[in-house]
Amino acid sequence: MVTPKRPRTIQIFLPSGDPSGIRIAEQTTSIIRVVEVPRSDLADFLKMPEAQQVALYFLVSGDTKDEVYIGQSGDVRTRLMQHHKEAAKDWERALVVISLTNNLTQTHVLYLESLSIEKAKHCQRYELLNSNKGQKPHTPIPLKADCDEIHLIGSLLLATLGYPIFEPLTEQTSLATTPVFHCNRAGVNAKGMYTNEGMVVLKGSSAPMSTQRKTEQRFYDKRDELIAKGIISVENERFVFQRDYLFQTPSGASMFLLLASSNGWVDWKTENGVTLHDHQGRDLETKVQKT
């Protein structure tokens, strides 16, 4: 489910005043709240009244915070304590979705857990650590409508806090209007879309497994990491993207493909050979002139 793009007001409260500590996000017109809890501050959260509620929660891990476990509980305090004690559970941040009026039921969160797992798999933003699909209980139509709205608001709040678990990398509506850029140096055959999050390398893009250029081991390490995760595969001495993948910068994307240093603003070009740098400059001038 793509969050509708319209103006909204989001409030983020810092209980301790520390921007890297516990953060509480809410939309001013909604009763849904998301609490972001660093694992180091878990004890502080467990003392808060929000920890005594029925809740949907997300445990985020990975060096780049790209792995997530999705769960639900009728007593999120007890459940998070259990996760903290489990040696096999490697997580750094908990994101807890609750209601300001404490009116979520076990049926709500069971449905939301199943829906969230389904949506997270579809978006492929994060590596999902769940071993099952969750339990989707029989849900009356009015309650299902409430859950869909909760999921919509929760998705927005998660993305605002920096966890766009349910936001597609490329929206179907943008595919026809957003230009596709190509990186074709040194045997690379890649396509990408420049978004407000960075450069999305599109599924099917490929590059040689090795390079004759001066390079560093870190480029190979990142490639091997994505191979291990199944994001790219090896085919005929080339690595091929099995799904769309976001790099934070155009240069980060082109360096990954070329296995060496690169200026992505120059190495990404339109089909007509216009560099990303020149294209964005022209696009900026056009938009400014229209205002």
Side-chain angles (χ1 to χ4, degrees), residues 40-249:
S40 59
D41 291 343
L42 183 59
D44 293 332
F45 171 69
L46 298 181
K47 298 174 187 176
M48 295 168 60
E50 286 87 346
Q52 315 299 322
Q53 296 194 27
V54 176
L56 174 73
Y57 65 87
F58 305 80
L59 302 180
V60 179
S61 59
D63 290 338
T64 55
K65 296 181 180 178
D66 60 354
E67 300 173 349
V68 66
Y69 174 85
I70 301 173
Q72 53 75 33
S73 177
D75 180 2
V76 74
R77 179 179 185 275
T78 300
R79 191 71 185 103
L80 289 181
M81 288 180 67
Q82 291 172 346
H83 282 307
H84 184 63
K85 293 176 181 177
E86 295 173 359
K89 276 284 191 301
D90 177 18
W91 56 278
E92 294 302 324
R93 298 254 164 180
L95 300 151
V96 184
V97 181
I98 58 169
S99 163
L100 289 172
T101 54
N102 199 6
N103 66 346
L104 292 183
T105 67
Q106 197 70 46
T107 304
H108 281 103
V109 293
L110 280 169
Y111 180 90
L112 286 166
E113 177 191 44
S114 178
L115 178 64
S116 296
I117 292 172
E118 176 188 332
K119 297 294 185 181
K121 284 183 177 179
H122 176 73
C123 287
Q124 296 185 319
R125 280 270 196 165
Y126 287 64
E127 182 179 352
L128 194 60
L129 301 181
N130 294 71
S131 58
N132 56 49
K133 299 179 180 179
Q135 306 173 40
K136 185 174 284 188
H138 170 70
T139 309
I141 293 177
L143 194 147
K144 179 181 179 299
D146 287 345
C147 287
D148 289 340
E149 180 66 17
I150 292 168
H151 177 77
L152 193 68
I153 300 301
S155 300
L156 172 67
L157 296 177
L158 287 167
T160 300
L161 289 171
Y163 305 91
I165 299 171
F166 307 109
E167 299 294 318
L169 286 174
T170 56
E171 299 178 21
Q172 290 300 315
T173 54
S174 70
L175 292 176
T177 57
T178 303
V180 174
F181 294 90
H182 303 255
C183 181
N184 294 321
R185 282 185 56 193
V188 172
N189 182 14
K191 295 180 180 181
M193 295 177 65
Y194 184 58
T195 73
N196 58 7
E197 294 183 83
M199 180 63 75
V200 178
V201 176
L202 300 179
K203 177 181 178 180
S205 297
S206 69
M209 286 291 290
S210 60
T211 179
Q212 299 300 318
R213 301 175 65 200
K214 183 179 179 180
T215 189
E216 300 174 29
Q217 184 60 39
R218 63 189 174 97
F219 296 118
Y220 290 101
D221 291 343
K222 176 65 174 178
R223 182 202 62 191
D224 293 344
E225 175 190 334
L226 295 196
I227 290 175
K229 290 183 176 181
I231 295 171
I232 59 178
S233 64
V234 180
E235 302 175 14
N236 300 320
E237 299 301 318
R238 297 178 68 83
F239 60 87
V240 183
F241 280 78
Q242 299 302 303
R243 66 179 193 236
D244 297 347
Y245 186 79
L246 173 67
F247 291 87
Q248 292 185 339
T249 65

